[in-house]
Amino acid sequence: MLPHDIPLPPPYRIKVVEPIPFLSPQERREAITAAGYNPFNLRSDQITVDLLSDSGTGATSSAQEAAAALGDESYAGARSWFRFRDEAAELTGYPHLLPVHQGRAGERILFSSLLRPGQICLSNTHFDTTHANVVLAGAEARDLPCAEAADLDSTEPFKGNIDVTALEQTLAGPDGPRVGLVLMTITNNGLGGQPVSMANLEAVAALCSRYGVPFFLDAARFAENAWLVRQKEAGYQEWSPRQIATRAFQLADGCLISLKKDGLTAIGGLIGLRDDDLFVRCETNLIATEGFSTYGGLAGHDLERLGQGLREVVDPMYLAARAEQTARFARMINDAGVDTIQPAGIHALYLNAGRLLPHLSPAEFPGHSLGCQLYLDGGIRCAELGSLYLGTLDAGSQLISPAPFELVRLAIPRRVYTEEHFVYVAAVLARIAKDPERIRGYRIVSAPAQLRHFKVRLEPLA
C-alpha cells in the first residue's frame, strides 16, 4: 500500500482504447438542433465526453472478458447461470435469485407481482423508471427524503436517508394499510448520489417488520454505498465493502439491482427474494416476458462478466480510486466557479444550475439550458434533474409547479475516462461560469405524458 499522503492511482492500466470525436462548434450546434435540443437524441459519435449516464457505460476488465469466453449459451441450466448465481447468492444471502436483462425489467416484474392498484410505494427517492413502473402497476410512488437533503451545501454524511419519522407516521396513519412496499435506493441517485447509512436501513427494517410491510433495496450502487458507509459511519471502518453490502442485503426482504452500474457490465440485472410465494409469482412473470429463469434475457457471456464484476466491484482499491476520482473532479468544478451538491458522492456530480443561472426562471429550464451549453461549448453530454424532469406541466407543456432544485447530473462511467478528460470538462464549465447570462432558456415543443425527459423536444427562447 502507498503512504496515506500519496494520491492513489487507479488500480488498473489501460489495455484497449477507443477514439472519441471532436466536432466543430458549428457541427455541435447543427447536431443539438437536429436532436430537438435533447441530449438523449444525440448520436454517440457526436459526443466528446459522455457523462449522460453511468448505466452500462463502464469498461470491463481483462478478467471479465476472459470469463466471457467461457459463456455457456444453453437455453436452460447453463453453467454460466450457476456461476453467476453462486456469486450473487454469497453476496446477497437471498435464497431466490432471478436474472433480468436490466434493472427496469426487475422493477416491472416485482411491482406487477407485489403491488396492487391503489397501494403506495414509499421510498427515500424513486428514480425515473422506478417511479414509472410503480405507476404502471397502478400504485402511487411517494418519496420521503430526510430533511438534510434539502440543503445542497450541507456536508451531512448521509443525505440519502429516508425520513424515519415521516415513514413511521405514514405506516401508523390512515394511509398505512395502503402501503404495499418500502423501497430504499442505495445510493440515492435522485438526491445527489448521497449514501444511506446502515443505521437508517436498520430503522427502516424494524418499522417494516413491525407494520408487516415488505422492505426492498434498489441496490444499483450497493458497493459505492458500502464504501461511503465504511468511510463515514462509526463502527464500520474495519468492515470490508463486501461485508457491509451483505449486511445491507440481510436487512431487507429482497432487492432489485441494475447490474449495469455496480455489476461493471453493459447489461444485466437481478431480483433477490426471500418469500417463496412471491418468488413463484415473479418467476412466472419472468419466464413469460424475459426468458427462462436461468438466463432472464441475458446471454451466457453476460452472466460470466457479471459474476466476475460482482467480485471486482467490492475491491477496496477500486472503490477508493473511484471515490477519489470523483472527489478531485468535484474540486475542479468548484474551483471553476460552479457549485455542486455537497458532499460529493461517487457515481455522479450534481451541478447547481439554479444558482449559476439565476436570470432563468424554472419555467425556462435552467438545468436543461446548462446541459445544452455544455454540449455546445465542449461536446459534453449530461442529464438535467430539474423542472424539465421533475416539474409538473399542464396539457400545453407549461410549467405549473417547479422542481425543488435545478440540477445537472454529470454521471461518471466506471474505468473509462482519465484525469485529463475531467480537466477538460472543468475548463468548459469555467468558461460558462465567466459569462453565465449569455445562456438562454428553452421551451418545450413536444413531450410524452410519461418519462418526458427521454423523448422531449425543445427549442431556445428568443
Side-chain angles (χ1 to χ4, degrees):
M1 291 290 291
L2 293 172
H4 293 302
D5 60 342
I6 297 178
L8 184 69
Y12 53 83
R13 58 186 178 186
I14 298 168
K15 204 166 188 176
V16 177
V17 297
E18 175 187 4
I20 58 176
F22 292 88
L23 276 63
S24 70
Q26 181 60 32
E27 288 171 328
R28 293 196 297 269
R29 182 166 295 280
E30 291 171 358
I32 195 70
T33 302
Y37 292 90
N38 183 346
F40 283 95
N41 292 334
L42 290 167
R43 294 168 31 156
S44 63
D45 58 7
Q46 296 170 323
I47 311 297
T48 299
V49 178
D50 200 343
L51 306 181
L52 183 69
S53 178
D54 66 317
S55 180
T57 58
T60 54
S61 68
S62 57
Q64 285 180 288
E65 292 307 307
L70 302 174
D72 178 0
E73 307 302 339
S74 301
Y75 182 87
R79 295 184 305 275
S80 300
W81 155 246
F82 292 106
R83 292 192 189 104
F84 167 66
R85 182 205 64 181
D86 291 348
E87 189 67 37
E90 183 179 332
L91 173 68
T92 67
Y94 295 127
H96 302 301
L97 299 169
L98 292 169
V100 289
H101 79 273
Q102 64 180 74
R104 65 192 65 177
E107 293 167 357
R108 180 189 57 77
I109 289 169
L110 179 67
F111 299 158
S112 63
S113 302
L114 179 61
L115 292 172
R116 300 189 305 274
Q119 287 191 314
I120 300 170
C121 180
L122 300 175
S123 179
N124 51 345
T125 306
H126 296 82
F127 205 59
D128 48 14
T129 61
T130 318
H131 187 283
N133 276 305
V134 170
V135 172
L136 288 171
E140 174 191 345
R142 189 179 297 180
D143 295 337
L144 300 174
C146 67
E148 293 83 355
D151 185 351
L152 303 188
D153 301 316
S154 165
T155 56
E156 288 289 327
F158 293 105
K159 291 160 67 173
N161 285 351
I162 198 168
D163 185 331
V164 174
T165 301
L167 174 61
E168 183 167 16
Q169 288 173 345
T170 305
L171 294 174
D175 282 340
R178 294 178 54 212
V179 178
L181 174 64
V182 173
L183 183 71
M184 290 290 288
T185 305
I186 57 172
T187 57
N188 193 332
N189 187 21
L191 284 178
Q194 298 297 302
V196 176
S197 71
M198 297 299 289
N200 194 248
L201 293 178
E202 289 167 357
V204 172
L207 284 172
C208 289
S209 176
R210 185 190 312 166
Y211 289 94
V213 176
F215 169 37
F216 273 68
L217 299 179
D218 180 351
R221 300 171 182 87
F222 67 89
E224 295 181 0
N225 199 83
W227 180 256
L228 292 170
V229 165
R230 187 185 191 213
Q231 301 305 111
K232 299 181 178 188
E233 189 166 1
Y236 288 94
Q237 281 68 44
E238 301 304 318
W239 290 47
S240 72
R242 187 184 184 99
Q243 289 172 325
I244 296 169
T246 299
R247 172 59 180 158
F249 286 121
Q250 289 173 345
L251 290 169
D253 298 310
C255 72
L256 296 164
I257 312 179
S258 170
L259 292 171
K260 296 174 68 175
K261 287 83 168 176
D262 276 354
L264 300 181
T265 57
I267 201 69
L270 181 70
I271 304 172
L273 302 163
R274 297 195 193 281
D275 184 85
D276 296 341
D277 292 336
L278 180 57
F279 168 69
V280 172
R281 297 199 299 275
C282 287
E283 184 179 42
T284 301
N285 195 329
L286 173 85
I287 294 172
T289 60
E290 287 286 309
F292 190 62
S293 51
T294 60
Y295 79 93
L298 294 167
H301 55 79
D302 295 323
L303 291 165
E304 294 283 358
R305 289 189 185 94
L306 285 167
Q308 177 64 28
L310 289 177
R311 289 189 284 276
E312 293 180 7
V313 77
V314 289
D315 173 29
M317 292 286 286
Y318 158 77
L319 287 167
R322 178 157 167 79
E324 179 53 33
Q325 180 187 59
T326 304
R328 288 196 300 269
F329 190 22
R331 290 192 291 270
M332 292 180 206
I333 291 172
N334 297 155
D335 290 344
V338 179
D339 290 332
T340 55
I341 289 183
Q342 298 294 328
I346 295 181
H347 86 277
L349 295 173
Y350 296 69
L351 311 179
N352 192 334
R355 185 174 293 170
L356 182 65
L357 307 175
H359 63 286
L360 297 181
S361 70
E364 296 171 300
F365 307 123
H368 184 77
S369 300
L370 178 56
C372 285
Q373 201 64 44
L374 276 164
Y375 180 74
L376 287 166
D377 285 4
I380 300 156
R381 181 160 67 168
C382 51
E384 187 259 16
L385 267 72
S387 290
L388 182 63
Y389 164 47
L390 294 169
T392 303
L393 307 182
D394 64 17
S397 296
Q398 298 298 308
L399 186 67
I400 300 172
S401 58
F405 307 108
E406 304 296 336
L407 304 175
V408 172
R409 186 185 73 169
L410 306 182
I412 303 170
R414 293 161 180 81
R415 305 187 294 201
V416 169
Y417 290 119
T418 67
E419 194 86 351
E420 288 81 3
H421 292 102
F422 298 124
V423 170
Y424 171 76
V425 174
V428 173
L429 277 167
R431 178 183 174 188
I432 292 172
K434 288 178 180 177
D435 186 17
E437 292 191 1
R438 68 186 170 95
I439 298 177
R440 293 182 291 170
Y442 286 78
R443 63 175 290 272
I444 293 174
V445 175
S446 64
Q450 291 278 351
L451 298 169
R452 63 176 172 263
H453 54 292
F454 286 118
K455 299 306 295 183
V456 66
R457 296 186 72 86
L458 305 99
E459 64 182 13
L461 293 169

